[in-house]
Amino acid sequence: MNAETIRDLVKKHLSEKPRNTVEIKDWLSNSILLEDNYDIAAILESDPTIIRIGRIMKSGVIGKEYPLSEWATDEWVLHHERKQPRSNGDK
């Protein structure tokens, strides 16, 4: 399976809510026959519409195969983005 197909599947999965790298890899493994040699983080980073919104503490996670990050679509981020406070000069 090529990286573009994987990115398209992940974007649909992330449209509901952000997910971390382990959740995405597990979901892909259960949904399709995914080979273990895929670097999910690299695939997601190569798509400008998928955004790393943070890193997660690795407490309780065994193994360091891939960075444990939280991912979301750009649409999700825009929808849930906090409004910036207005400065004193703004009305």
Side-chain angles (χ1 to χ4, degrees):
M1 178 163 294
N2 68 27
E4 183 150 347
T5 303
I6 291 172
R7 279 192 297 273
D8 289 342
L9 289 170
V10 171
K11 278 191 262 191
K12 289 177 186 174
H13 188 55
L14 291 176
S15 67
E16 300 169 17
K17 66 178 186 175
R19 312 217 187 240
N20 69 49
T21 313
V22 173
E23 291 173 321
I24 294 168
K25 177 107 178 187
D26 288 344
W27 178 79
L28 282 170
S29 295
N30 291 329
S31 300
I32 58 174
L33 295 175
L34 183 67
E35 297 174 21
D36 284 338
N37 61 350
Y38 279 102
D39 182 354
I40 297 300
I43 291 172
L44 299 178
E45 286 173 342
S46 67
D47 187 323
T49 64
I50 299 175
I51 300 170
R52 183 190 314 252
I53 59 173
R55 294 198 184 268
I56 299 173
M57 301 297 287
K58 290 189 176 188
S59 176
V61 176
I62 299 173
K64 296 180 181 178
E65 283 182 42
Y66 30 78
L68 189 54
S69 299
E70 190 88 10
W71 302 90
T73 62
D74 58 349
E75 291 177 355
W76 188 94
V77 170
L78 285 172
H79 181 73
H80 291 87
E81 193 171 47
R82 291 183 183 164
K83 300 286 184 205
Q84 296 297 318
R86 294 176 9 172
S87 66
N88 291 339
D90 292 343
K91 292 188 177 188

